[in-house]
Amino acid sequence: MDNHKEKAKSYFLQGYNCAQAVLLAYQEELGLDQETAARLACSFGGGMGRLREVCGCFSGVLLAAGMLYGYSDPKDLAGKKAQYERVQALARTFREHNGSIICRELLGLDHKSDPPTPAGRTSEYYKKRPCAELAGDAAQILEDFIAANPPCRENGHRTAPHHQQEDLP
């Protein structure tokens, strides 16, 4: 498996938002071209459109996890249950590593407020923002999860067995 951690950090430092950086790190495995991956994740940066809610890095993990393990049949209750368990396991691990899955908490912002004015991505900006490191950590968390819980393939499509319990290392 490629080094997704370094790819995610590199994409972020190129100017992609945090969610895009994580999803782009996995685009090949997901069968997505770069433009589709970037467009799919573009709304989730900055804690969802700079609202500072759920961390975009973690949202990128969930977008990839949906492609790798997700269900599409609305009647697939076992698939839904299994996917929600995966989301919860990934969230636990992200919280254990970083203290939260909430953007404003990860950035040390005191309260929820109107979306801030964007700051230029200067060296000073990066000294104050842990986003590149968070993108790398998110990509590594997903890489570890995939290694421990390989997605199945049925009829050429990725599926995850619904009876397996996925655990993160």
Side-chain angles (χ1 to χ4, degrees):
M1 192 175 286
D2 292 333
N3 189 341
H4 297 101
K5 179 177 185 170
E6 293 307 317
K7 281 184 176 182
K9 288 167 67 173
S10 175
Y11 280 120
F12 183 80
L13 293 173
Q14 288 175 43
Y16 288 99
N17 74 35
C18 44
Q20 289 173 316
V22 175
L23 191 61
L24 284 167
Y26 284 91
Q27 71 186 32
E28 291 176 25
E29 291 90 336
L30 301 174
L32 297 172
D33 61 81
Q34 187 167 344
E35 181 180 355
T36 300
R39 290 174 61 117
L40 183 64
C42 72
S43 298
F44 295 92
M48 299 183 177
R50 205 179 290 119
L51 291 171
R52 305 297 186 219
E53 296 295 337
V54 174
C55 172
C57 297
F58 184 66
S59 294
V61 166
L62 297 185
L63 287 164
M67 290 291 295
L68 290 168
Y69 301 99
Y71 65 95
S72 58
D73 179 350
K75 294 181 173 106
D76 183 2
L77 300 181
K80 180 186 258 187
K81 180 179 186 278
Q83 188 65 8
Y84 287 2
E85 288 172 357
R86 287 182 200 98
V87 168
Q88 292 165 14
L90 288 161
R92 275 191 305 277
T93 301
F94 193 89
R95 275 191 201 101
E96 288 168 6
H97 286 215
N98 301 295
S100 180
I101 64 167
I102 304 300
C103 175
R104 68 180 165 278
E105 292 173 4
L106 293 164
L107 296 179
L109 302 175
D110 292 334
H111 55 77
K112 186 174 162 180
S113 62
D114 290 331
T117 304
R121 288 190 175 197
T122 63
S123 59
E124 288 303 310
Y125 170 87
Y126 286 118
K127 287 180 186 174
K128 297 176 185 177
R129 295 288 189 254
C131 304
E133 291 301 319
L134 288 168
D137 187 55
Q140 185 64 55
I141 287 168
L142 183 57
E143 186 168 321
D144 294 345
F145 185 84
I146 293 167
N149 306 282
C152 296
R153 288 195 167 268
E154 293 176 9
N155 301 322
H157 299 291
R158 289 183 189 96
T159 61
H162 306 307
H163 62 278
Q164 280 188 322
Q165 176 66 33
E166 286 85 5
D167 291 315
L168 291 169

